[in-house]
Amino acid sequence: MTSNDAVRRLTAEFRKAHNAYAAAVRASKKWGMLSGTSLQQTLKGVVKDAKRKRDRLETELKALTSAPPAPP
């Protein structure tokens, strides 16, 4: 896999993870009136997991794009 393919694949994964995170945050805010319930705790967990995945992919993407190109 070339560097460009890896960047494209990682960018697509990051986009999906970011969209999942944004959707989880919106759902969490929508259901915020259920404070203290198990649903709220579940949504908090979903938001944390989505944020963790998004941040991990963002770090990988930055590392991949900032690395010097491999010699042919």
Side-chain angles (χ1 to χ4, degrees), residues 3 63-71:
S3 176
L64 188 62
T65 56
S66 66

Side-chain angles (χ1 to χ4, degrees), residues 5-15 57 60-61 64:
D5 291 339
V7 169
R8 261 189 248 117
R9 181 191 56 80
L10 203 53
T11 301
E13 283 184 43
F14 172 74
R15 227 178 263 132
L57 287 169
E60 287 180 25
L61 186 60
L64 188 62

Side-chain angles (χ1 to χ4, degrees), residues 14-72:
F14 172 74
R15 227 178 263 132
K16 287 178 188 176
H18 177 72
N19 290 341
Y21 171 70
V25 168
R26 282 192 305 270
S28 178
K29 287 180 180 180
K30 183 178 181 179
W31 292 96
M33 63 187 157
L34 301 173
S35 61
T37 64
S38 61
L39 178 61
Q40 184 196 27
Q41 294 305 315
T42 301
L43 283 172
K44 280 184 180 182
V46 168
V47 169
K48 282 183 182 180
D49 290 345
K51 184 176 186 324
R52 194 175 302 123
K53 182 176 181 181
R54 184 195 68 167
D55 291 347
R56 179 184 56 80
L57 287 169
E58 183 178 26
T59 303
E60 287 180 25
L61 186 60
K62 283 181 182 177
L64 188 62
T65 56
S66 66

